[in-house]
């Protein structure tokens, strides 16, 4: 099973502001939907609460320490290893890790691929993607998009693969 990060970050690694995405990028949301449809996605409890609902066509695995947090229609895991095992047992081919910052940090060592949207802005975020060693990754795709009426900032879609996986 491939484990992939799916993340949009600004040029200072910002990924969130006040519990929300700090930008409006219709193309990024469309890419998120296309990539994750039919797959399992892992999110932390706070990220799930910021989304506010189940995402249709995907199996959501929420990682939480809380024994009492049990939203209907989701899988609950109390550790990263339990979340990965659950997806593997259910026959997942590519597991998507979709935030937040703590979940990304905990999963960095086991991730094979990154679908990165680099937002060309400083969003004054209060939540950040972990620092990472770019030398461990190779860019396999890159596509720049300009800002327009549906996309607040210009951005670049990138796909990175861990060098040990290439």
């Amino acid at each position: 099973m491939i484990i992939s990060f799916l993340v949009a970050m600004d040029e200072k690694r910002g990924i969130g502001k006040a519990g929300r995405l700090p930008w409006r990028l219709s193309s990024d949301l469309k890419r998120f939907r296309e990539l994750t449809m039919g797959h399992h996605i892992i999110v932390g409890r706070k990220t799930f609460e910021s989304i506010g609902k189940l995402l249709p066509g995907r199996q959501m695995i929420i990682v939480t320490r809380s024994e009492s947090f049990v939203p209907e229609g989701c899988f609950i895991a109390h550790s990263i290893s339990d979340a990965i095992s659950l997806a593997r047992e259910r026959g997942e081919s590519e597991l998507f890790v979709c935030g937040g910052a703590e979940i990304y940090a905990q999963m960095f060592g086991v991730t094979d691929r990154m679908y990165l949207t680099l937002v060309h802005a400083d969003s004054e975020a209060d939540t950040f993607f972990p620092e990472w060693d770019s030398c461990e990754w190779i860019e396999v795709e890159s596509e720049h998009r300009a800002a327009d009426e549906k996309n607040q900032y210009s951005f670049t879609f990138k796909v990175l693969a861990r060098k040990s996986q290439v």
Side-chain angles (χ1 to χ4, degrees), residues 42-78:
I42 291 179
V43 294
R45 179 192 52 80
K46 291 178 198 173
T47 298
F48 176 75
E49 289 175 337
S50 76
I51 295 169
K53 63 180 182 176
L54 291 173
L55 297 176
R58 287 146 281 197
Q59 297 294 317
M60 296 183 78
I61 302 172
I62 303 167
V63 179
T64 179
R65 290 181 209 77
S66 172
E67 296 292 332
S68 62
F69 184 75
V70 188
E72 195 171 319
C74 297
F75 295 99
I76 298 297
H78 297 291

Side-chain angles (χ1 to χ4, degrees), residues 135-155:
C135 294
E136 294 180 12
W137 299 84
I138 186 166
E139 186 176 296
V140 294
E141 288 180 34
S142 181
E143 178 187 352
H144 180 77
R145 301 267 185 101
D148 59 26
E149 65 281 348
K150 292 185 177 182
N151 298 286
Q152 183 178 8
Y153 300 110
S154 64
F155 58 93

Side-chain angles (χ1 to χ4, degrees), residues 15-159:
I15 60 173
K17 184 174 182 179
R20 315 245 8 115
L21 289 173
W23 44 69
R24 185 185 48 78
L25 297 174
S26 178
S27 294
D28 183 55
L29 295 174
K30 181 179 177 187
R31 180 184 192 224
F32 179 94
R33 185 175 195 277
E34 289 171 354
L35 287 169
T36 61
M37 190 58 67
H39 291 280
H40 289 76
I41 63 172
I42 291 179
V43 294
R45 179 192 52 80
K46 291 178 198 173
T47 298
F48 176 75
E49 289 175 337
S50 76
I51 295 169
K53 63 180 182 176
L54 291 173
L55 297 176
R58 287 146 281 197
Q59 297 294 317
M60 296 183 78
I61 302 172
I62 303 167
V63 179
T64 179
R65 290 181 209 77
S66 172
E67 296 292 332
S68 62
F69 184 75
V70 188
E72 195 171 319
C74 297
F75 295 99
I76 298 297
H78 297 291
S79 71
I80 295 302
S81 60
D82 287 350
I84 293 169
S85 293
L86 176 62
R88 189 172 278 123
E89 289 165 8
R90 293 180 48 78
E92 184 58 72
S93 59
E94 184 170 12
L95 174 61
F96 289 90
V97 181
C98 301
E102 188 176 330
I103 301 299
Y104 287 129
Q106 290 179 32
M107 294 200 65
F108 233 104
V110 297
T111 303
D112 307 301
R113 184 179 296 159
M114 269 194 264
Y115 296 93
L116 169 64
T117 301
L118 181 59
V119 182
H120 302 295
D122 175 0
S123 64
E124 299 180 8
D126 57 20
T127 306
F128 297 87
F129 191 74
E131 290 190 34
W132 49 291
D133 184 355
S134 61
C135 294
E136 294 180 12
W137 299 84
I138 186 166
E139 186 176 296
V140 294
E141 288 180 34
S142 181
E143 178 187 352
H144 180 77
R145 301 267 185 101
D148 59 26
E149 65 281 348
K150 292 185 177 182
N151 298 286
Q152 183 178 8
Y153 300 110
S154 64
F155 58 93
T156 303
F157 287 144
K158 294 180 180 238
V159 179

